[in-house]
Amino acid sequence: MNPYAALVDCLRATWLTGKTRPMEYRKSQLEALGRFLEENETEILHAMNVDMRRPPFEGQVADISMVKNEVNQALNNLSCWMKDESVDKSLATKLDCAFVRKDPYGVVLIISPFNYPFQLTVIPMVGAIAAGNCVILKPSEISTCSEKILAEVLPSYLDPDTFAVVTGGPEPTTKLLENRFDYIMFTGSPRVGKIVMSAAAKHLTPLTLELGGQNPCYVDCCCDFQNAANRIVWAKFFNTGQTCIAPDYLICTIETQERLMPCLRQAIREFYGCSPQDSPDFGRMINDKHFRRVCALLDCGRVAIGGQTDECDRYIAPTVLADVKDWEPIMQEEVFGPVLPIFTVRDLDEAIQYINSKERPLAVYAFSCNSKVVNRVLDCTSSGGFCGNDCMMHVTLVSLPFGGIGYSGLGQYHGKYGFDTFTHLRGCLSRCMGFEALNCIRYPPYSQRKLDLLLSTTEVRRKGFCTLL
């Protein structure tokens, strides 16, 4: 017997009663999420500081403020999002009611990662709850203090009949995935994403995968190099580089690299001081395994900035690598740490060709004072998201979808896109029982006259074209 079968069945039984469907109920649960953030802000920031030495400033920005914005956006717009949407009708259905009903899926499983333990857990929950689903949450066991708050404190704010938390490592997650869910959302690595997708396929369960990848950052020769360096350094070393949308590598000409390097050095010094290890604004790797993995990448290319490490402190200095080759390990995998390689090309054409030769990333970034260059990178590449002349800031907008494409994931969320992700769009047509004479043209015995009439009342005509009778 699966240890989680009874839990899933219990939540599904509640969902079938219709308890989660009323707007008032959904709003009450969303408001409870808001109270959880408000009343436990100090504990949440402390937990992330213990887990990753996350500066409170970064925790406030990424794991408190962004989540509050999502909660408020859902509360402000839920009544509008939930409304049936009327659709165009044919001549044959002019007297009927045709609409799209926003139905919840049912019981949703959300599996979240360690790096942003509250943002990447609660924001998907906002969409799932707003859409009227029951939720089972599986937070990462790697960020242990954050997991404890999610497992022990969060449930006290939400309805236990419609929400539950499952803790543990890979084995409990595997057992959990054996159950039939109505929707699954997973955030993590492509390797584990394939496992989740395979488990979902056994039950034909729809899912969203938010994965990683190598996010390129093109820097043009026509650029304000110090401004670009400030924005790149902030984004790359925010949360110690443990961010799925951080710029993974810079791509530029050798001449641009030489002009950019001192600006990167200056930005790092201004942000973190001469000794970043002593800075309260620079975090640590989550555990020894990830520390050793990122340290091994320091052998690639040439260390131009940083490179210092301290295993006892899980500290890796903000590092920039030059002279990196395509075949080296750092250009073959997502870095997910405070190491930024620079890959040089001859020109913009070669940069675009190189970006397109790799798997499609979660984000593409481009810096240039020439808007035509930025737009060319946008037009000629494919990625989950894009940001011109900055990095990561696009995800702060609740009005933009966030998600991957290809190897970096499938599906999207944030704001209404999160509501839509956890909503089944149910096409509906409601007809009256009268006017049967109008339906005779589709009943046997068939004739050419009936066919002509039926087709004329159901066809979609091209606009701007007229038919000569």
Side-chain angles (χ1 to χ4, degrees), residues 84-157:
D84 292 342
E85 286 186 19
S86 297
V87 297
D88 293 338
K89 294 178 286 187
S90 65
L91 183 61
T93 57
K94 278 293 181 186
L95 301 177
D96 306 320
C97 185
F99 58 95
V100 176
R101 171 63 54 86
K102 316 291 182 58
D103 270 355
Y105 273 104
V107 180
V108 167
L109 172 63
I110 296 172
I111 304 174
S112 60
F114 72 83
N115 56 325
Y116 290 89
F118 295 92
Q119 179 199 135
L120 299 179
T121 298
V122 183
I123 290 182
M125 281 179 57
V126 171
I129 290 173
N133 298 283
C134 294
V135 177
I136 293 180
L137 177 64
K138 171 59 186 71
S140 172
E141 76 286 359
I142 297 176
S143 46
T144 54
C145 292
S146 299
E147 180 198 38
K148 186 175 182 181
I149 291 178
L150 290 167
E152 297 180 4
V153 181
L154 178 57
S156 66
Y157 286 82

Side-chain angles (χ1 to χ4, degrees), residues 5 16 28 34 71 104 150 220 265 287 356 379 387:
L16 289 170
S28 71
V71 171
L150 290 167
D220 188 40
R265 184 176 289 107
N287 58 24
N356 289 335
D379 292 341
C387 191

Side-chain angles (χ1 to χ4, degrees), residues 89-93 441 452-459 461:
K89 294 178 286 187
S90 65
L91 183 61
T93 57
I441 59 174
D452 292 342
L453 284 171
L454 181 60
L455 294 180
S456 69
T457 60
T458 58
E459 74 173 326
R461 292 184 175 91

Side-chain angles (χ1 to χ4, degrees), residues 149-167:
I149 291 178
L150 290 167
E152 297 180 4
V153 181
L154 178 57
S156 66
Y157 286 82
L158 299 173
D159 185 348
D161 292 335
T162 61
F163 174 76
V165 180
V166 172
T167 60

